[in-house]
Amino acid sequence: MKRLVRKLLPVLLVLSFQSVLLTSCLGYRDLDHIVFVTSILIDQDEQKNTVFYFETLNSIRSSSKEANQEERIVYKVTSQNPGDALNRLETHTSAPVTLSHNKVILFTERFARSGIDQAFEIFDRWQESSTRTLLGIYAGSTESFVKPNHQEESMTGLYLYDMLGNKASVTSYGVKLNIREFMNQKLIGDKVNSMSIMNVSQDDDTAGQYYLDGLGLIHEYKMIGRLESEETIYFNFLLDNEVSGNINTQNPEDRTRTVTLLLQSNRYQAKLDYVEGQLKMKVSLKLKTDVSAIQGQLKLTDGNIAKLEQSMSEKINENCLKLFQHWKEKGTDIFDIQEKFERKYPKLAGRNIIENTDLEVDVQVDIIGTSTLKDAD
């Protein structure tokens, strides 16, 4: 009996291995019969119905010997009950739909101001939905989403995913936010989320091209305001987010011209002291920059470099305080101060501390790499 089992064992192993291969091949061929959602835009019509635009990747089967082609198709689904949208989508397609490869969910500004909870939670609960899917506000027209004008990518979802997830882009004029981070942030501290705003150019030369256009601020699922692109840099400074990009400051030899400094790195430190019902928060920023562009004429002497560093320091300080004061007067903490406060003073948790917070910002700017430029001059 044992000898018989030993003889049959290799045969059984070969047969089982072949069955695995056949299953894999069948699974691969089944990909030709699946519709992949790659991005979703959610809007609201005049009747308060939720309007979904599903960008999908469809496989086109051909009788020719060439490989099957893929086609971008956008399906529009309007529903009073957002929970039915995915089921209704499958009535528009010739194959089952999967969200497992969805890259981006965008909300129009109109929909975001009315409350994204109307549709957001179905993606959070949907089994095939990925928590790594990126989120953003869409300020362009829905027609631009349906018929985009970007040559770099045939699929809008992949193109937007790269833009919203690109380090150089989001550290300058936006933030990177996925479903998991959104759900975590809305439960802690100030409970305010910031989403990058994606806009569409209307200029003749660049019409239809996407670009980052500041931040939308989300509280309790509703958009409560927005930050312009330049404000986003100072917002990221105060939140200890990595910042890159350029900031202009005054040319010390010609006040009608500017000098552009490229941010290389920033070090952040915050200190909180709660005294007699008032929170004093001191933020220290140490920035390393390069001179990237000069308008007009400028000799990079030690004196002029010191003036550039001081001018940049004063500009960042002024704009950080201005942004902070604006939202303090609204009684809305968008800077995670509440979270820092409750972590340091857990017994005092529960009160809206932003109304009793004084901010002090100390900025030190260091322009590096100027010795080479001076030698060249």
Side-chain angles (χ1 to χ4, degrees):
M1 183 65 180
K2 290 184 179 180
R3 293 179 61 185
L4 180 61
V5 171
R6 289 175 181 174
K7 290 182 179 180
L8 290 177
L9 184 58
V11 178
L12 293 174
L13 289 174
V14 171
L15 291 175
S16 62
F17 184 66
Q18 288 179 340
S19 66
V20 170
L21 289 177
L22 290 173
T23 303
S24 300
C25 292
L26 288 172
Y28 179 77
R29 289 200 296 268
D30 285 344
L31 293 178
D32 292 342
H33 304 278
I34 296 177
V35 174
F36 295 93
V37 175
T38 53
S39 66
I40 303 171
L41 174 64
I42 307 177
D43 192 15
Q44 187 179 68
D45 63 17
E46 300 299 331
Q47 289 72 42
K48 306 298 182 182
N49 295 317
T50 304
V51 183
F52 292 83
Y53 295 86
F54 293 95
E55 181 196 47
T56 64
L57 181 65
N58 294 259
S59 177
I60 303 175
R61 293 179 294 277
S62 174
S63 58
S64 66
K65 296 182 180 180
E66 297 180 358
N68 292 345
Q69 297 179 344
E70 296 171 341
E71 182 180 11
R72 175 186 187 266
I73 301 177
V74 176
Y75 296 95
K76 180 180 178 180
V77 176
T78 302
S79 176
Q80 291 183 341
N81 180 9
D84 293 336
L86 297 176
N87 294 330
R88 294 191 60 186
L89 173 62
E90 291 192 338
T91 66
H92 292 67
T93 66
S94 59
V97 177
T98 177
L99 289 178
S100 59
H101 291 75
N102 182 42
K103 298 295 186 181
V104 176
I105 300 174
L106 296 176
F107 309 99
T108 65
E109 191 167 346
R110 173 171 56 182
F111 185 81
R113 290 190 181 277
S114 67
I116 63 176
D117 57 317
Q118 303 169 66
F120 182 84
E121 290 187 353
I122 68 171
F123 298 105
D124 181 47
R125 297 193 308 267
W126 199 260
Q127 292 180 356
E128 291 185 339
S129 180
S130 171
T131 58
R132 293 174 294 179
T133 300
L134 297 182
L135 305 174
I137 305 295
Y138 187 74
S141 66
T142 55
E143 289 80 6
S144 297
F145 179 83
V146 176
K147 297 180 180 179
N149 181 30
H150 51 77
Q151 303 299 323
E152 292 86 348
E153 293 281 356
S154 59
M155 302 302 297
T156 299
L158 302 178
Y159 182 68
L160 294 179
Y161 183 81
D162 288 340
M163 287 191 70
L164 292 171
N166 181 276
K167 180 180 178 181
S169 297
V170 298
T171 57
S172 300
Y173 302 112
V175 294
K176 183 177 180 179
L177 180 71
N178 60 36
I179 291 179
R180 180 177 62 251
E181 292 164 346
F182 177 92
M183 297 303 294
N184 290 338
Q185 180 61 30
K186 79 179 209 53
L187 297 174
I188 61 176
D190 51 22
K191 302 178 182 179
V192 175
N193 270 289
S194 54
M195 287 187 191
S196 293
I197 295 177
M198 187 66 62
N199 211 333
V200 182
S201 175
Q202 301 296 324
D203 296 339
D204 293 337
D205 296 336
T206 58
Q209 293 183 7
Y210 294 121
Y211 66 95
L212 292 175
D213 192 22
L215 296 177
L217 303 172
I218 310 294
H219 179 62
E220 298 295 339
Y221 286 113
K222 290 187 177 181
M223 183 174 173
I224 59 174
R226 62 179 295 171
L227 302 181
E228 300 301 325
S229 294
E230 186 175 352
E231 291 180 308
T232 302
I233 295 179
Y234 308 111
F235 172 81
N236 282 330
F237 276 138
L238 292 177
L239 262 74
D240 190 21
N241 293 334
E242 186 176 355
V243 181
S244 63
N246 294 285
I247 302 181
N248 295 329
T249 190
Q250 194 176 77
N251 186 326
E253 292 186 356
D254 185 351
R255 294 190 175 185
T256 64
R257 303 297 181 92
T258 62
V259 175
T260 303
L261 299 183
L262 176 64
L263 297 169
Q264 297 290 358
S265 65
N266 61 288
R267 293 179 58 188
Y268 172 97
Q269 186 176 12
K271 181 180 179 182
L272 279 69
D273 287 312
Y274 184 72
V275 181
E276 297 180 353
Q278 199 73 14
L279 180 67
K280 298 185 183 299
M281 180 174 176
K282 181 177 180 180
V283 173
S284 298
L285 299 171
K286 293 184 179 181
L287 313 179
K288 289 188 176 181
T289 67
D290 276 333
V291 176
S292 60
I294 299 175
Q295 282 187 343
Q297 300 294 322
L298 175 64
K299 292 182 178 180
L300 292 173
T301 63
D302 291 339
N304 281 339
I305 291 172
K307 289 178 182 179
L308 286 173
E309 291 173 342
Q310 181 180 356
S311 175
M312 177 65 77
S313 174
E314 291 174 351
K315 179 176 181 178
I316 295 174
N317 185 294
E318 178 183 350
N319 283 285
C320 284
L321 292 176
K322 180 180 177 181
L323 182 64
F324 171 80
Q325 189 63 32
H326 174 78
W327 288 97
K328 175 183 176 180
E329 292 174 358
K330 289 178 173 291
T332 304
D333 174 21
I334 66 172
F335 308 103
D336 287 345
I337 297 175
Q338 188 77 32
E339 181 182 350
K340 295 182 178 71
F341 172 73
E342 293 182 355
R343 191 184 303 122
K344 185 172 182 180
Y345 302 101
K347 293 182 179 180
L348 300 175
R351 58 175 302 182
N352 187 5
I353 197 60
I354 186 67
E355 298 175 348
N356 301 100
T357 300
D358 295 323
L359 177 66
E360 177 184 348
V361 181
D362 177 40
V363 183
Q364 297 180 29
V365 177
D366 181 19
I367 299 177
I368 60 177
T370 54
S371 59
T372 303
L373 292 171
K374 285 190 292 184
D375 292 340
D377 185 54

